[in-house]
Amino acid sequence: MGNWTPPACWYEPVSAAEFKKKVEGEYDEVVNDPQQPNYAKSATGQFRDIYKDGKYKDYNLDEAGEGNWWVSVQNPNRLDDPAAFTCSELPFWVLNGDVPPVKNAVTPEVLAELAYNRITLPETKVTLAPRDITKVNLPTWAWLDKATFKDVSVTASLNVAGLNISAITTAKPVSLTLEPGTSDAETYPASGECRLNDDDSIGEPYAKGKATKTPPCGIKYLRSSGDGTYKLRSTITWEVNWTGTGGAGGNLPDGTFGTTQDITVQEIQSVNH
């Protein structure tokens, strides 16, 4: 959705017991693998020593109720991105209630950004009247029914090692932009952007008797499409915001979703007497 992407990596907490299990498991796996080179075994041993017998003792298990280890995590959707490995701080200890002293420590806002990346917008096809074939200089009405045009929300949460935070990211449809696929056309309104109505619909459904009226949202083609068609591009703009634990919240970049429909425009046939 849109051209914006969430963090490629972040830091999140794990308990002392979980951290010990992870480090010891990785150490045993590497040192007992005859295919691993000596430098890998040495590096793994040095890393383990920091937390087992070096700067820290036995993974701070004696202080397990006072804090957590914070470790770097790569965004699973961006593992091929070099930025996924920029969270290069070694695991560090943070006391309960303290703010981790690093950029991209997981917060409700980071969770909201991750949820943003998981929003799937519906493939809403704009309703047209006339639908696929219209006439030159005949207004084509366009609308989106509120029943199929709804807010979309995704929740992301983290409940580990005494940290329980969450965020809800919501995309709300706010406008429809029409691009006729040719300069020989007029849009209604002139900007081509149809805003949300008070009842959360966009545009106005065509009804009998409106053929000569100007639609609040629509197009008028001024030239025939000949033997081909015009590619009508309909783009829905979604306004995105989030709310999270502790009353946090804010806005995220708008998202867009576009679809293309083939429109045949014919000349109005005249009858000569």
Side-chain angles (χ1 to χ4, degrees):
M1 181 175 69
N3 298 318
W4 180 85
T5 54
C9 63
W10 60 90
Y11 297 90
E12 66 182 39
V14 296
S15 68
E18 290 175 302
F19 184 60
K20 177 179 180 178
K21 180 179 179 181
K22 180 177 184 294
V23 175
E24 290 293 325
E26 292 176 351
Y27 172 78
D28 289 341
E29 184 178 340
V30 172
V31 299
N32 293 319
D33 183 354
Q35 302 299 319
Q36 290 285 353
N38 288 334
Y39 68 82
K41 295 181 179 181
S42 176
T44 302
Q46 291 173 10
F47 178 83
R48 175 189 184 231
D49 288 344
I50 294 173
Y51 302 98
K52 185 176 185 297
D53 302 307
K55 182 178 180 180
Y56 306 96
K57 301 299 179 185
D58 196 24
Y59 303 94
N60 276 5
L61 285 177
D62 289 345
E63 304 172 37
E66 302 174 22
N68 301 290
W69 292 104
W70 283 67
V71 301
S72 63
V73 177
Q74 285 74 45
N75 185 334
N77 297 319
R78 296 179 62 183
L79 293 179
D80 294 333
D81 187 341
F85 300 93
T86 57
C87 297
S88 56
E89 296 282 346
L90 291 176
F92 52 92
W93 184 256
V94 178
L95 294 175
N96 293 335
D98 285 356
V99 177
V102 293
K103 181 182 178 181
N104 276 11
V106 71
T107 61
E109 183 171 7
V110 170
L111 291 178
E113 293 169 346
L114 293 170
Y116 181 105
N117 199 42
R118 295 170 187 162
I119 288 178
T120 301
L121 299 181
E123 293 189 24
T124 305
K125 187 173 182 179
V126 178
T127 304
L128 301 174
R131 189 173 65 181
D132 299 315
I133 301 176
T134 188
K135 304 292 185 181
V136 172
N137 292 323
L138 177 68
T140 297
W141 293 59
W143 69 93
L144 285 165
D145 189 79
K146 61 181 179 180
T148 57
F149 197 50
K150 301 178 180 178
D151 295 2
V152 179
S153 295
V154 172
T155 299
S157 61
L158 179 67
N159 186 4
V160 295
L163 182 70
N164 187 359
I165 57 176
S166 64
I168 300 174
T169 297
T170 300
K172 176 183 176 64
V174 293
S175 67
L176 166 69
T177 300
L178 300 174
E179 300 172 69
T182 173
S183 59
D184 292 314
E186 296 176 357
T187 57
Y188 307 105
S191 65
E193 182 180 18
C194 308
R195 302 293 296 180
L196 200 69
N197 298 323
D198 291 340
D199 65 352
D200 291 336
S201 65
I202 283 185
E204 181 183 320
Y206 175 78
K208 188 175 180 180
K210 294 182 178 180
T212 59
K213 295 184 178 181
T214 299
C217 179
I219 307 165
K220 181 169 70 176
Y221 287 98
L222 307 178
R223 188 184 296 271
S224 165
S225 59
D227 294 332
T229 60
Y230 292 128
K231 302 291 185 181
L232 169 63
R233 180 76 175 170
S234 307
T235 302
I236 301 169
T237 297
W238 300 73
E239 190 175 81
V240 185
N241 59 65
W242 67 277
T243 57
T245 302
N251 297 320
L252 292 171
D254 289 346
T256 56
F257 185 88
T259 57
T260 301
Q261 296 166 247
D262 290 329
I263 303 295
T264 299
V265 181
Q266 300 174 339
E267 295 283 359
I268 296 177
Q269 299 299 315
S270 59
V271 178
N272 294 319
H273 295 281

